[in-house]
Amino acid sequence: MDLNNEMQVLVNKIKAPSIFYIPKKLLSEFSKKDAYNLAKIGFFDTMFIINKQGVNKPVTNVNELLLLFDKEKILTSNVFQILVCKAQLDNATFHYLLVEYLKDLGSWIRVIEVVKDDAKKDLHYYKPYFQSYLDMQYNHLMNHQSELKKKFGYWKTEFEIGRIFNDSNFKLPKQQPKVDLNFNKINEDTKEQTKKSTVSSNPIKHKKKPLILSDADADSYLLKTVFNVNFNNTNVEEREK
């Protein structure tokens, strides 16, 4: 497997197809002459589309935006291909691919988020139908990121902690089921029990049992407090990390 080529194909499919524009605040990145010429031709006031071939072009009609309806299917195919890579690559190589992919995904999500939030106020030729497509592509990307967390986040955390301890077979303890403590219900039950105990001629005395922390709970607590591993919300790396 050509890892570099495989990685590039996956990253390209994060971005294609997409719609975006160049924010005016980037004018300062160009020379005065170039900024003037680019502004004159509407470069900073134009919505662009990246088609499936990765080619950028200005959006000229709403039908061009229909490409974005394929975005979800394309990102799903990326998940499948990442699973193939996991089966074919050794753990260290796959971890590298996964981390780099998540960084690129996080960066592109940030770009699309800014475009989504600011297009209406930035673009002079803003079209109302732009917003639904901007929202849709952002949601597809966020769902894709969430799916990757579910499929690979736990494995990624295990691999990284195992590497710290030089233990390639390291496994995190199984997640303990959540206990939903409804304190209002507990208080009501306690009051009711107190009433029954008061009127009873032979009240039953209950001995308090000591709280015992299981080995799994202890391990979970150690990993959470020392290594900041949160089992309820396994984080993926953002681009800037």
Side-chain angles (χ1 to χ4, degrees), residues 13 17 19 52 56 81 86 90-91 96 101 108 110 123 125 136 141 153 158 183 198 211 215 238:
K13 290 199 293 184
I19 57 172
K52 292 180 181 179
N56 303 335
Q81 190 56 40
K86 186 177 187 299
D90 62 83
N91 285 346
Y96 170 80
Y101 182 85
W108 191 243
R110 180 56 185 150
L123 290 176
Y125 297 105
M136 179 173 67
L141 289 167
E158 283 188 332
F183 289 103
T198 302
L211 294 177
D215 290 343
E238 294 297 328

Side-chain angles (χ1 to χ4, degrees), residues 73-92:
K73 183 170 64 177
I74 290 170
L75 293 175
T76 298
S77 74
N78 266 17
V79 175
F80 175 78
Q81 190 56 40
I82 291 172
L83 285 168
V84 171
C85 290
K86 186 177 187 299
Q88 295 180 352
L89 299 172
D90 62 83
N91 285 346

Side-chain angles (χ1 to χ4, degrees), residues 16 20 22-23 30 32 82-83 113 126 134 139 143 150 154 163 168 183 199 220 228 230:
F20 69 101
I22 309 299
F30 298 87
K32 288 184 179 181
I82 291 172
L83 285 168
E113 182 179 28
Y126 176 83
L134 291 170
N139 290 336
N143 290 339
K150 291 177 182 177
Y154 206 72
R163 188 165 55 182
S168 59
F183 289 103
V199 299
S220 298
N228 198 27
N230 187 340

Side-chain angles (χ1 to χ4, degrees), residues 120-234:
K120 188 172 184 178
K121 63 183 180 182
D122 279 355
L123 290 176
H124 180 69
Y125 297 105
Y126 176 83
K127 305 294 184 184
Y129 59 75
F130 283 162
Q131 199 61 50
S132 59
Y133 288 97
L134 291 170
D135 291 341
M136 179 173 67
Q137 73 175 356
Y138 175 75
N139 290 336
H140 285 328
L141 289 167
M142 290 298 292
N143 290 339
H144 180 53
Q145 187 182 60
S146 178
E147 184 175 8
L148 292 173
K149 286 182 181 180
K150 291 177 182 177
K151 289 188 180 297
F152 303 108
Y154 206 72
W155 176 90
K156 179 174 172 292
T157 301
E158 283 188 332
F159 176 83
E160 290 168 353
I161 296 177
R163 188 165 55 182
I164 292 172
F165 292 109
N166 196 27
D167 181 3
S168 59
N169 296 316
F170 178 86
K171 296 294 181 184
L172 288 170
K174 295 296 183 182
Q175 226 173 330
Q176 299 299 310
K178 292 181 179 179
V179 178
D180 185 13
L181 295 178
N182 187 331
F183 289 103
N184 290 331
K185 180 68 164 59
I186 291 174
N187 289 336
E188 290 175 3
D189 290 346
T190 302
K191 290 178 182 178
E192 185 64 27
Q193 183 62 41
T194 301
K195 290 179 181 178
K196 291 180 179 179
S197 298
T198 302
V199 299
S200 174
S201 58
N202 297 305
I204 300 174
K205 295 182 179 180
H206 298 279
K207 294 183 179 179
K208 292 184 178 180
K209 294 183 179 180
L211 294 177
I212 299 174
L213 192 66
S214 69
D215 290 343
D217 287 334
D219 290 342
S220 298
Y221 179 79
L222 174 65
L223 288 170
K224 182 177 180 181
T225 55
V226 178
F227 298 104
N228 198 27
V229 177
N230 187 340
F231 296 106
N232 295 324
N233 185 20
T234 305

